Amino acid sequence: MRKSGIRLTIGVLLLLMGSLQAQDDWEYPEDRMEYDSLISLARELPEDSLGRRSWLLHQAGRTAYSFGAYRSAIRATGEALDIRLSHEDDFADEVLVSAFNLGTYYSEVGEYGEALDHLSVILNRAPNRKEGVAHYQCGIVYGRTGEFEASERAFARAASLPPFAGNDYQRAYLDQQLGLMHVNKSNASGGEAAREPLARALASFRADEYTYGEMETLNLLGWAQSDAGQQEVAIGHLLKAEALAHEMEIEDEDLTAIYGNLGMAYRRSGQPEAALRQYHKALRLARSFSDADQRPNMDVAGTLDNLSTAHLFSGQLDSALYYAQRALEIATPDFKFSGTEDLPGLDQMMTDRPRLLTILLDLAKVHHLMGDTGQPAHYKQALSTYRRTDELLDAMRRDQLLDETRNYWRADARSLYDQALNVAMKTDDPNSAFYFMEKARSRLLLDELSTTLASEQLPIDVNLRLAEVARMTRLSGNTPAATQRFRQLQDSIFSAFPAYRDASIGAPPPDPATIGQLLNGRTLVEYYVGEDMTIALTYSPDGGLGLTELAPLSVWGKSLRALRDDLQRPGQPFGKENARQLYEQLIAPLDLAEGTPLTIVPDGDLYLLPFGALLSTEPSSNAAYQNWPWLDDEREINYAFSVQLLDLARQRRGRGNGRALALAPVARLTADGQLPAELELPATLRTVRHLATLFPADTLVNAAANRRAFREKADAYSLLHLGTHAYLADGGSFLLHDPEPARYSMANLLDHQLRADLVVIGACETGIGKALPGEGVASLGRGFARRGAPGLVMSLWSIDDATTAELLNSTYDGLSEQMGPATALHLAGVNYRQAVTNPSFGHPYYWAGLVNYGSNAPLKMGNESINWLAWIFCLIALILAPFLLMRRKR
C-alpha cells in the first residue's frame, strides 16, 4: 500500500530522513506523459498568451516534482517564473507561487544557495500571503546547511504568520521540522532542544489521527531521546514508529531511518548485537529501493557508517574499517579505495557535507584504535584522515555567513582536534601537533582578518558596497532576506575576485620551520586544553619543537579559579599555594632555558591566567609581596592568539598615520553632567597628557571623547589609547561621553577598519568574556583584534585606576624608547614592584592584570619621521650655507 496524504496542502516539502538526489531522468516513461503534454501546450501558444503559457509551465513543474523528477521541475518552473517576473505588474501573486516552488525544488536537489535566492524573492516583497511558508522553507534550508541559529529564527518568524499561526495542524509540521533541525546537530543539547517541539507535533498528529505524521514524529522523537541520553525511552518511541510503518506497509527510506535510529539507541544502551541486527535490516532495505550504482547515495552510506560504528564498539576493527571505507565510497562520486591511505578530494565531497564529516571522523577513529592495538602504521592514516576532515570543515565554514553558525561548527570540531592531538602525542609528532593546535584556535578571528586584508585589495566601490550590505545585514538581526542579499553580493564578488574568495578561510598554519623567524628569538609555549588532557608544544631557537603532556584540566582547574579569586582581592592575604601549584603543573615540566622571554599561546581557561603571577619557588615567610619570586621577574611574557596570527600581525603593521589617539571620556565629571559623577577616573587624564608628551598625539577628553569623534577618527591612527570603563555584556563595550547610548559596543566596532599597530584598553575586564570553544574569549580586546588591531594591551580583572595609570605611563616611556609593547609592559611591572614602599601595593592585583597580545615589534610613530626630516633639513642647510654667504659677500 502506497502512502497518501503525505504532502502539505501549502506545498511545503516532504519530510525526508535521507538526502534525495537530483534526477534528470524520469523513473518510469509513462509518468512523464502529462508533463510532456503540458510543455507541448505551452510551446504551441502564441507569444502574447503569457498568462496561460506561464500557468502551463508552472503546472508542468508541479507534475515533475510529484514524480521526483526535480530537474525537470526546476526547468519548467524557472521558465514560468521568468515570464511572470518580466510582467510582474500583471502576475504579482503568481511570482510568489513560482518563486516558492522553485526554492523548494532546489532545496530537494541540495542546491541551497539557489533555494535561498528564490525564497528571498518572496521575502523581499513582504508582506504577502507566501511569506510564512517562505520563512518555513528557509528554516529547513538553513538547518540542512548547519546554520542552526538562522534556522531557528526563520521557524520562529514562520510560526507568527499564516498558515502556521492559529492552525494546529500546520503548526505541527513546523514543529516537526524544528525538531529535525535540532536533532541534526547530533549532540545532547540538540536532542534536548528537539523534544519539546516534537512532543507538540506528536500530540497534534494523534489528535488528528494522522498515522503517517505520528510515525515520522515518533522516529524523530526517538532520535532526540537517544541523543539526550534516554536510550530506553528512545527505543520505546522507535518500536512504536516501526509498528506503525508495518501497519501502513511502508518499506522505504522512512523505515530505513527507523531501523538506523533503533540501531543507534541499542548501541548506546550497550546492546551491540541488537544494534547490528537493526543496521543490517536498514542496509538491506536501503539497497532494495536504491540504485546500486548511484553515487553519492547518502542513505546507504549512512547505514554503512552506522555498521562501522557498531563493529568498532564491538571490538571488530577489521569489519569496522571495511564498512567505513565502503561508506566513504558510496558517499562520494568517482572514488574507490585502492589502498588504505586513499582519501577522496574535497571536490568529490560536495553532497551532504555534515554526513561526510561524520563518515570521515568515524574512519579516522577506526585507524586510531587499530594503531592502539599494535598496528602503528594506522596512526599515520588516522592523522591524514583527521587532516582531510579538517579541510572539509574549512570548506563548510567558507559557505557559512553567520558568526553563530561558524562558532557552532568550531565548537563541534573540538572533538576532532582532541582525537588528532591524542594520536600526535602517541607518535611523538610535534609537526602534526603544531598543525592541529593552530587549527584548534582562533580560526574565525584569522578568517575575518584574512578576509579584511583581502577586501582592501578590492576596488573601492566594491569594498564600500560590501561593507554597507554587511552592516545592514547585522542591523536587520540577520533576517533570511537580508542574509541572502549579502550572500548574493558575496558570491558575485567571489566569482569576480578569486583571491578574495580564497582569503575568506585563513591560510593553513605556517610551516613549523618558519616559527623561529616569527618569534625573533623568543621561546614559544602553545597550550591545548582538551577534555582529558593538556598538551604544551614548545619551540626554542636551540631545541626546536617539543611536546609535553601535562596534567589535565581536572587537576589544575580548581587551582586556577582559586588563584583568580586571590588576585582580585587585594585587601586579603594572597595564598601562595595556588600560584606555586600552577607553576609546577604548567611551567616546570617544560624544562625551559633559564630567563628566556616567552610567547604564550593559551587555550581554554588559560586565557584567564596571568602567567607572570605564578611563583617559581617558595617565597620567604617574611618577604613582602613585591619581593616574592614571581615568574614575571624571571621572564618577559608576551601572549598571542595563535602563531599564525603573529605572522598576520606582522603583515598588518605600519598602516596608520604615525600618530596616537588618546581618549579619556570620564576624566572629569560634574554632578549635573551627562554621566554620573561616580564614573569619574581622574588618573586617566594623567596618562593621556603623558602620552601626548612622547608621541605625536590627538587627545579627546571628557565631552570631546564621544561616539561621533571615535567613529570618525579612530581608524586612521597608529596607536589607540582608551582610558575609560568597560563592560562584559554583549561581547564587550566601553564608555564614551554621550548621554544615550553611552556605551560603544562590539556591534559598533564592527563598522571599523582599524590601522592601529597597538590598542591599549586601560579599562576593567577587557580581556575576559564568554568562552568560545576553540576561539578563546569573546572579550572587548578580541573585538578590537577582529577589526584589525595586531597588538593589544588589555586587562584580566577590574583594575585599579591609579596604579594602572602608573603602569601605562611607564609602558609608554618604554615604547618611546623603541621597546616592543611586551618588553615595555614587563619592565613597567618590574619597575613598579621595585619602587613600591607600601607592601600592600605589592599584591599582584595591582601589577599583574594587564597583558599584551600580539607582536612585540617596536612602534613606528610619526616623531621618528619628524626627526629624520629635521636631520635632512639641517644637512641641506649646512651644504647651502657657504654658498649663501659667498653670494652675500659679493
Side-chain angles (χ1 to χ4, degrees):
M1 183 178 83
R2 292 185 60 83
K3 303 187 291 254
S4 61
I6 300 172
R7 288 191 176 84
L8 284 171
T9 56
I10 58 173
V12 293
L13 95 155
L14 172 66
L15 175 67
L16 295 176
M17 298 309 301
S19 294
L20 292 175
Q21 307 304 318
Q23 299 176 9
D24 279 313
D25 299 324
W26 295 64
E27 187 173 1
Y28 303 106
E30 61 270 21
D31 287 345
R32 69 174 295 155
M33 291 177 61
E34 181 182 352
Y35 172 84
D36 288 338
S37 176
L38 290 166
I39 295 292
S40 295
L41 287 172
R43 298 283 182 263
E44 292 168 1
L45 288 172
E47 289 296 322
D48 58 353
S49 298
L50 298 175
R52 181 65 176 167
R53 188 193 309 156
S54 68
W55 183 86
L56 289 168
L57 290 166
H58 181 85
Q59 293 303 115
R62 292 183 62 185
T63 299
Y65 175 67
S66 69
F67 287 105
Y70 303 119
R71 291 295 175 189
S72 296
I74 287 169
R75 284 192 293 269
T77 310
E79 193 173 342
L81 181 60
D82 286 343
I83 294 171
R84 290 170 170 182
L85 279 171
S86 63
H87 297 80
E88 189 169 359
D89 288 346
D90 299 319
F91 304 116
D93 191 66
E94 289 83 350
V95 163
L96 303 177
V97 176
S98 289
F100 176 79
N101 284 9
L102 206 49
T104 302
Y105 303 162
Y106 273 117
S107 176
E108 290 285 8
V109 299
E111 294 184 19
Y112 299 121
E114 289 287 348
L116 290 170
D117 283 347
H118 287 90
L119 294 169
S120 69
V121 170
I122 300 166
L123 300 179
N124 289 336
R125 289 160 173 77
N128 57 65
R129 72 181 185 89
K130 302 295 285 185
E131 183 184 357
V133 290
H135 279 292
Y136 170 87
Q137 190 68 34
C138 283
I140 293 171
V141 172
Y142 282 132
R144 289 183 172 184
T145 58
E147 297 204 19
F148 299 122
E149 294 286 340
S151 176
E152 196 163 1
R153 280 197 296 269
F155 282 131
R157 179 64 178 143
S160 69
L161 297 166
F164 305 103
N167 186 322
D168 291 343
Y169 180 75
Q170 304 288 18
R171 176 60 191 262
Y173 278 93
L174 187 149
D175 283 332
Q176 193 184 58
Q177 286 289 352
L178 178 59
L180 175 60
M181 180 273 292
H182 283 303
V183 294
N184 271 325
K185 297 175 183 176
S186 298
N187 56 34
S189 63
E192 292 282 355
R195 290 193 293 189
E196 183 178 342
L198 289 174
R200 286 197 304 266
L202 182 62
S204 180
F205 288 138
R206 281 176 171 168
D208 288 336
E209 298 182 355
Y210 180 34
T211 306
Y212 180 76
E214 182 182 354
M215 178 207 69
E216 283 184 312
T217 309
L218 280 167
N219 179 35
L220 290 175
L221 195 53
W223 180 3
Q225 295 284 13
S226 179
D227 281 351
Q230 302 295 316
Q231 305 310 327
E232 292 305 316
V233 177
I235 291 169
H237 287 317
L238 292 164
L239 289 174
K240 290 177 184 177
E242 181 186 10
L244 290 175
H246 290 317
E247 181 183 313
M248 292 184 287
E249 300 181 18
I250 290 173
E251 292 188 353
D252 60 8
E253 65 275 355
D254 291 311
L255 186 55
T256 303
I258 294 169
Y259 287 150
N261 288 333
L262 264 171
M264 176 177 65
Y266 280 128
R267 174 175 60 78
R268 289 172 170 174
S269 64
Q271 303 178 64
E273 295 303 320
L276 284 171
R277 286 195 298 272
Q278 295 298 326
Y279 287 144
H280 279 293
K281 285 161 65 176
L283 182 61
R284 286 194 298 271
L285 186 57
R287 283 175 168 165
S288 72
F289 61 79
S290 298
D291 183 349
D293 298 321
Q294 179 184 338
R295 299 288 190 279
N297 187 324
M298 302 311 291
D299 286 325
V300 173
T303 304
L304 288 167
D305 184 55
N306 286 335
L307 277 166
S308 172
T309 303
H311 283 291
L312 185 70
F313 275 81
S314 300
Q316 302 168 28
L317 299 185
D318 289 334
S319 295
L321 180 62
Y322 170 81
Y323 283 114
Q325 290 178 334
R326 299 293 81 74
L328 194 55
E329 287 178 345
I330 295 292
T332 49
D334 306 320
F335 171 73
K336 190 170 181 62
F337 279 95
S338 58
T340 54
E341 297 185 23
D342 290 346
L343 289 170
L346 289 178
D347 59 340
Q348 295 173 291
M349 295 189 287
M350 303 299 292
T351 302
D352 201 348
R353 283 175 159 175
R355 181 80 65 91
L356 280 163
L357 198 68
T358 300
I359 293 171
L360 279 170
L361 267 175
D362 289 341
L363 176 60
K365 288 176 188 174
V366 175
H367 284 306
H368 186 166
L369 285 178
M370 293 182 84
D372 288 347
T373 58
Q375 303 176 65
H378 282 277
Y379 281 140
K380 179 181 177 182
Q381 294 155 21
L383 286 171
S384 64
T385 308
Y386 284 129
R387 184 173 287 216
R388 184 55 49 84
T389 308
D390 180 64
E391 292 166 354
L392 181 61
L393 264 176
D394 280 348
M396 292 170 63
R397 210 164 73 246
R398 177 180 283 115
D399 295 333
Q400 292 157 354
L401 299 180
L402 306 180
D403 284 347
E404 61 263 36
T405 305
R406 291 184 166 204
N407 284 334
Y408 171 83
W409 285 109
R410 289 293 294 151
D412 200 56
R414 196 69 178 179
S415 63
L416 183 160
Y417 300 124
D418 268 5
Q419 296 163 35
L421 284 165
N422 189 288
V423 177
M425 285 297 300
K426 290 173 180 176
T427 56
D428 192 23
D429 184 352
N431 288 329
S432 291
F434 176 70
Y435 173 89
F436 287 111
M437 288 176 83
E438 284 288 296
K439 290 304 294 287
R441 68 189 70 247
S442 300
R443 295 306 294 183
L444 301 187
L445 179 56
L446 178 68
D447 292 350
E448 189 164 6
L449 292 175
S450 298
T451 304
T452 300
L453 199 61
S455 71
E456 293 171 1
Q457 309 305 314
L458 294 172
I460 292 175
D461 59 331
V462 174
N463 202 354
L464 290 174
R465 174 65 177 154
L466 184 65
E468 176 60 18
V469 174
R471 188 178 74 85
M472 296 305 296
T473 303
R474 289 195 303 271
L475 292 176
S476 76
N478 294 315
T479 62
T483 300
Q484 192 55 19
R485 281 194 291 272
F486 181 66
R487 192 188 300 272
Q488 290 167 340
L489 175 62
Q490 186 164 348
D491 286 347
S492 67
I493 296 173
F494 280 166
S495 299
F497 303 97
Y500 174 72
R501 181 186 186 279
D502 293 342
S504 65
I505 293 297
D511 186 334
T514 67
I515 294 176
Q517 302 168 26
L518 299 175
L519 294 175
N520 294 320
R522 303 177 72 90
T523 293
L524 170 71
V525 180
E526 184 163 359
Y527 291 97
Y528 180 87
V529 182
E531 288 186 10
D532 303 309
M533 63 180 179
T534 301
I535 297 173
L537 180 140
T538 56
Y539 172 86
S540 65
D542 297 328
L545 281 176
L547 276 176
T548 305
E549 186 166 4
L550 304 173
L553 174 63
S554 59
V555 173
W556 52 261
K558 185 177 180 180
S559 295
L560 189 152
R561 292 187 291 272
L563 176 62
R564 279 190 57 82
D565 288 342
D566 287 343
L567 288 167
Q568 296 175 74
R569 294 191 295 228
Q572 300 181 25
F574 183 84
K576 61 187 177 182
E577 296 80 11
N578 296 309
R580 282 287 299 125
Q581 288 173 9
L582 288 168
Y583 179 87
E584 292 299 325
Q585 290 159 345
L586 299 174
I587 296 293
L590 306 182
D591 195 22
L592 301 171
E594 187 175 347
T596 54
L598 301 182
T599 292
I600 292 177
V601 181
D603 188 37
D605 289 1
L606 295 179
Y607 275 102
L608 305 178
L609 174 63
F611 280 79
L614 302 185
L615 289 167
S616 59
T617 58
E618 190 79 14
S620 301
S621 58
N622 58 350
Y625 289 136
Q626 63 268 29
N627 297 321
W628 283 16
W630 303 108
L631 184 60
D632 195 54
D633 281 319
E634 299 177 8
R635 298 177 187 274
E636 175 191 310
I637 300 174
N638 189 31
Y639 299 85
F641 294 110
S642 72
V643 173
Q644 193 165 5
L645 282 166
L646 280 178
D647 187 29
L648 193 64
R650 179 179 54 80
Q651 299 174 43
R652 295 184 65 83
R653 291 178 59 82
R655 302 177 308 132
N657 62 6
R659 298 179 64 82
L661 179 65
L663 291 87
V666 289
R668 293 283 186 271
L669 297 177
T670 59
D672 58 349
Q674 294 179 327
L675 297 173
E678 59 267 23
L679 294 175
E680 182 175 277
L681 296 173
T684 60
L685 184 59
R686 296 199 301 272
T687 303
V688 166
R689 287 173 174 170
H690 184 71
L691 183 153
T693 67
L694 300 172
F695 304 107
D698 296 309
T699 60
L700 299 174
V701 178
N702 296 333
N706 55 57
R707 7 180 358 103
R708 179 177 177 182
F710 185 84
R711 178 69 190 91
E712 292 176 353
K713 293 176 177 289
D715 287 3
Y717 287 80
S718 295
L719 170 62
L720 285 179
H721 170 90
L722 295 171
T724 184
H725 293 280
Y727 307 91
L728 292 178
D730 301 322
S733 61
F734 58 94
L735 191 68
L736 290 173
H737 202 104
D738 293 274
E740 202 55 50
R743 298 183 186 184
Y744 207 77
S745 68
M746 185 63 238
N748 301 131
L749 275 178
L750 290 175
D751 290 329
H752 287 268
Q753 296 293 338
L754 300 175
R755 297 183 182 87
D757 292 336
L758 179 65
V759 176
V760 178
I761 318 172
C764 297
E765 302 180 322
T766 55
I768 65 175
K770 178 183 176 182
L772 300 175
E775 289 298 311
V777 174
S779 65
L780 179 61
R782 191 175 188 274
F784 276 96
R786 288 180 64 184
R787 304 324 303 149
L792 297 162
V793 173
M794 52 191 181
S795 60
L796 297 180
W797 53 76
S798 295
I799 51 180
D800 179 72
D801 179 32
T803 52
T804 298
E806 189 175 338
L807 286 168
L808 290 180
N809 287 350
S810 182
T811 300
Y812 285 131
D813 287 338
L815 291 174
S816 71
E817 296 169 9
Q818 289 301 288
M819 295 180 189
T823 304
L825 183 61
H826 166 71
L827 289 177
V830 171
N831 293 337
Y832 172 86
R833 290 189 295 277
Q834 290 175 349
V836 165
T837 55
N838 183 339
S840 297
F841 288 98
H843 191 289
Y845 163 79
Y846 293 101
W847 53 263
L850 292 175
V851 292
N852 181 78
Y853 270 78
S855 170
N856 191 41
L859 298 184
K860 294 184 178 180
M861 301 296 286
N863 55 347
E864 298 172 26
S865 301
I866 292 171
N867 289 339
W868 276 109
L869 288 172
W871 278 108
I872 293 169
F873 180 79
C874 291
L875 183 61
I876 293 172
L878 287 171
I879 294 170
L880 293 179
F883 295 100
L884 293 172
L885 287 171
M886 288 175 64
R887 289 188 63 183
R888 202 175 265 184
K889 286 180 180 179
R890 291 178 184 176

